[in-house]
Amino acid sequence: MAEQIFLGVLGLCAGFTVASGMVGLIIGLSIVPRYAGITRTADKILLYEDFTMLGATLGNMAMVFQWHLPGGQILLAIFGVFAGVFMGSWILALAEMAKVFPILARRVKLTKGLPWIIVSVAAGKVIGALYFFYKGW
């Protein structure tokens, strides 16, 4: 029993360390202020930071303690949509902060169609994820 408690606390502490590093990276790269600027919700920036840390902490605890939530596949599908939109928006905010798209456009001498490329990348991710999960059912 003492060994399991020790391993649980150790796993939780290691997870908190990794989650804090991830949140620190997101906040340190100014992704949160940029995301708030894009969505025109700069007045809620502290709320974004708090919920980012809360999500990392709760996600860590859910992984360590293997919580099971009722609701079945419907709730899982709803969660998947919201998690996908959340992660996709953070990834696009990070890509914009790192200036990935302008560098890509300059290197391949792309002058037209950049919005279509961005939408195509997002659609490819959605189709790939749906195929992955559909194949598993």
Side-chain angles (χ1 to χ4, degrees), residues 5 7-9 12 30 47 52 78 84 89 96 105 108 111-112 116 131:
I5 292 173
L7 289 176
V9 170
L12 202 57
S30 298
L47 188 64
T52 301
I78 292 169
S89 62
E96 186 176 326
V108 298
T111 57
K112 295 181 185 176
W116 288 105
Y131 174 74

Side-chain angles (χ1 to χ4, degrees), residues 6-117:
F6 173 73
L7 289 176
V9 170
L10 182 66
L12 202 57
C13 291
F16 282 145
T17 302
V18 172
S20 297
M22 183 268 310
V23 171
L25 178 68
I26 287 173
I27 294 170
L29 288 176
S30 298
I31 294 172
V32 173
R34 182 65 186 141
Y35 185 73
I38 290 170
T39 58
R40 294 183 180 91
T41 55
D43 58 325
K44 306 220 178 356
I45 196 163
L46 293 177
L47 188 64
Y48 280 139
E49 292 175 354
D50 291 342
F51 276 109
T52 301
M53 192 64 203
L54 180 65
T57 302
L58 289 177
N60 178 41
M61 292 176 70
M63 292 300 290
V64 170
F65 296 117
Q66 298 180 357
W67 292 337
H68 296 281
L69 299 175
Q73 292 180 348
I74 300 294
L75 186 62
L76 181 62
I78 292 169
F79 172 77
V81 168
F82 283 113
V85 168
F86 176 77
M87 282 306 299
S89 62
W90 280 107
I91 289 168
L92 286 175
L94 177 60
E96 186 176 326
M97 287 300 300
K99 310 258 188 278
V100 170
F101 295 118
I103 292 171
L104 172 70
R106 200 174 24 221
R107 291 214 178 197
V108 298
K109 297 179 174 82
L110 181 66
T111 57
K112 295 181 185 176
L114 192 59
W116 288 105
I117 291 174

